[in-house]
Each structure stands twice: as structure tokens, then as C-alpha cells.
């Protein structure tokens, strides 16, 4: 299994509070991604990173920000959590070595916003 | 824009029966195609992928998929399912830029004993 960890694995928070989720990889892969998974929607891309300090928006980026100061860490921040952000969040990585590559997924973080 | 359609939200099959999960994609060029599986409470695991070459792709756990360009399909098959195959299955197409992937909405597979 690819070395990807996510923390925390579970979190309950209140509307309006800031939340930061962490994704950590030990594979030294260039690309990292944040998805949210909701019933009936599959996985939707929030943000992704193609290198240190290089990030871009995905399909559902509103209300989220990201940062990547080191190759191994990719942080997802909800500046002011809302109930609509209750979801399961997955991090993924991809080596992107010049040819197309599949993504490898972390175990997920279940976030509940009350 | 690329898209992936999985027509079946739920499928129920008996243990030992054959399985086919449908996937249709929309993509202008030669697609990169994937099937992932997600067991309850787990992350996604890659079953198989198609990038080029032989259109019949073998994957892990006895699964295979066939790329049919004329039908824009990439259906997943298994000749005999096991109770442990109960999970949600996602078809996905690669966007050929930044290794991004577009996922279908998933098909949940139920296995009858």
C-alpha cells in the first residue's frame, strides 16, 4: 500500500469553526489531491497540488483552501465550516513521472459539522 | 468535458454468479480508464487500469474489464463473485492533465448468500 496517512480520521466540529485536515505521504510523489465523497455524488475533486507551493482548484473548491509547504504534506482548511461540508474527505497521491499514472488513496477523514 | 456514467446505482447478485458492472465515458481522445473498489469504511483501491494496448485488461481479485471504443464503454466483469466482493465500485476517466481523474457516482454491489 502507498504510504498515505490522513489526520484526524474522525472529527466533529461546530458551524463557523475553522478545521484543518492533514494528508501525509512517504512516497515522495509530486501530485497530491483532496476529494470529498458524498452519497450519490461519487468523489469530487476539491483542490490539488502539482508541487510545493503549487496548487490549483478542482470541481468543488468554494469554502476550502489548501497549502503545501513540503512535498510530503498537503493541508486542507475549511476557514469557517458549514453543515454542507459534512462529508468524508480523501487524500490521493500520484507520481506523475512524465507518463500518466493512477492515483493512490488514503484511508479518509470523516468530518461532521453540527 | 469528460464525464463518466455508471448506470446502475445498486446491483445484487448471488454468490458464485457472474458479474458485469457498466461504465460509459465521454472523452475526446484516447482515454485513460480505471476501476476502483471501496469496501465499507475504507479508502479506494485500484482494481485495474487501461492506458493503451490490449483492450481486455486483467486486474486484481479476479476482475477484468474490456475497453470498447465504439461503445465508449469500459465494463467490469468477474466470472464468479465471492461474498467479499460486496463493496462500491467506481469507474473513472483520466483527464490527461495533472493526472486528474473524473469519477463516476459508483455502483454498490450486494451479494446474496
Amino acid at each position: 500500500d502507498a504510504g498515505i496517512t490522513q489526520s484526524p480520521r474522525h472529527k466533529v466540529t461546530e458551524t463557523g469553526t475553522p478545521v484543518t485536515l492533514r494528508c501525509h505521504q512517504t512516497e515522495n510523489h509530486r501530485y497530491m489531491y483532496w476529494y470529498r465523497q458524498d452519497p450519490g455524488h461519487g468523489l469530487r475533486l476539491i483542490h490539488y497540488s502539482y508541487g510545493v507551493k503549487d496548487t490549483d482548484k478542482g470541481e468543488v473548491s468554494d469554502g476550502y483552501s489548501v497549502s503545501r509547504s513540503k512535498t510530503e504534506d498537503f493541508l486542507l482548511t475549511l476557514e469557517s465550516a458549514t453543515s454542507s461540508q459534512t462529508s468524508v474527505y480523501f487524500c490521493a497521491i500520484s507520481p506523475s513521472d512524465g507518463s500518466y499514472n493512477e492515483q493512490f488513496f488514503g484511508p479518509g477523514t470523516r468530518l461532521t459539522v453540527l | 468535458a469528460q464525464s463518466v456514467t455508471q448506470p446502475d446505482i445498486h446491483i445484487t447478485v448471488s454468490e458464485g454468479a457472474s458479474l458485469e458492472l457498466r461504465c460509459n465515458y465521454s472523452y475526446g481522445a484516447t482515454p485513460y480508464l480505471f476501476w476502483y473498489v471501496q469496501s465499507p469504511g475504507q479508502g479506494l483501491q485500484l482494481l485495474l487500469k487501461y492506458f493503451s494496448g490490449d483492450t481486455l485488461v486483467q486486474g486484481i481479485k479476479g476482475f477484468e474489464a474490456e475497453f470498447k471504443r465504439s461503445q465508449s464503454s469500459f465494463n467490469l466483469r468477474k466470472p464468479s463473485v465471492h461474498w467479499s466482493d460486496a463493496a462500491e465500485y467506481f469507474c473513472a476517466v483520466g483527464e490527461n492533465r495533472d493526472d486528474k481523474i473524473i469519477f463516476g457516482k459508483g455502483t454498490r454491489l450486494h451479494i446474496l448468500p
Side-chain angles (χ1 to χ4, degrees):
Chain A
D1 289 345
I4 312 168
T5 56
Q6 293 185 230
S7 59
R9 294 293 313 278
H10 301 270
K11 185 171 183 66
V12 180
T13 190
E14 294 187 348
T15 298
T17 60
V19 176
T20 296
L21 308 183
R22 180 182 183 233
C23 177
H24 178 79
Q25 61 146 329
T26 58
E27 305 295 323
N28 200 35
H29 283 354
R30 178 184 173 195
Y31 279 80
M32 299 184 75
Y33 310 81
W34 276 108
Y35 293 88
R36 61 178 290 173
Q37 184 179 29
D38 304 288
H41 290 277
L43 277 83
R44 293 179 291 175
L45 183 64
I46 305 171
H47 282 280
Y48 68 102
S49 169
Y50 45 93
V52 173
K53 298 190 188 301
D54 291 324
T55 65
D56 204 349
K57 296 179 179 180
E59 177 187 357
V60 289
S61 59
D62 287 349
Y64 302 94
S65 62
V66 291
S67 66
R68 192 169 178 199
S69 59
K70 299 184 292 185
T71 298
E72 58 266 34
D73 289 325
F74 192 32
L75 304 181
L76 177 71
T77 298
L78 291 64
E79 299 290 348
S80 177
T82 68
S83 58
S84 65
Q85 293 177 310
T86 292
S87 186
V88 181
Y89 291 86
F90 287 98
C91 173
I93 65 175
S94 175
S96 190
D97 56 5
S99 60
Y100 200 87
N101 292 280
E102 66 267 32
Q103 294 180 16
F104 301 93
F105 284 79
T109 294
R110 182 173 295 277
L111 175 67
T112 301
V113 183
L114 301 176
Chain B
Q2 296 91 335
S3 65
V4 179
T5 301
Q6 294 179 247
D8 304 303
I9 298 174
H10 294 272
I11 281 189
T12 301
V13 299
S14 298
E15 190 169 16
S18 64
L19 171 70
E20 183 169 29
L21 301 183
R22 296 184 291 163
C23 172
N24 293 98
Y25 67 89
S26 171
Y27 190 71
T30 299
Y32 301 97
L33 295 162
F34 309 86
W35 275 100
Y36 283 85
V37 61
Q38 184 181 33
S39 297
Q42 304 295 313
L44 277 75
Q45 181 182 23
L46 182 69
L47 279 176
L48 47 78
K49 62 187 179 185
Y50 171 79
F51 286 179
S52 65
D54 193 344
T55 57
L56 186 62
V57 180
Q58 300 299 319
I60 62 172
K61 305 185 180 187
F63 285 92
E64 67 177 26
E66 186 171 11
F67 169 57
K68 293 185 177 180
R69 184 187 300 275
S70 62
Q71 299 177 20
S72 297
S73 69
F74 189 56
N75 293 349
L76 182 71
R77 300 193 295 248
K78 188 171 184 178
S80 176
V81 299
H82 185 263
W83 64 267
S84 60
D85 293 324
E88 191 158 21
Y89 293 79
F90 293 94
C91 181
V93 61
E95 207 174 283
N96 199 22
R97 175 180 175 271
D98 295 335
D99 285 1
K100 289 195 291 183
I101 291 177
I102 306 297
F103 284 88
K105 295 184 178 181
T107 297
R108 185 168 295 277
L109 175 64
H110 305 271
I111 308 294
L112 294 176

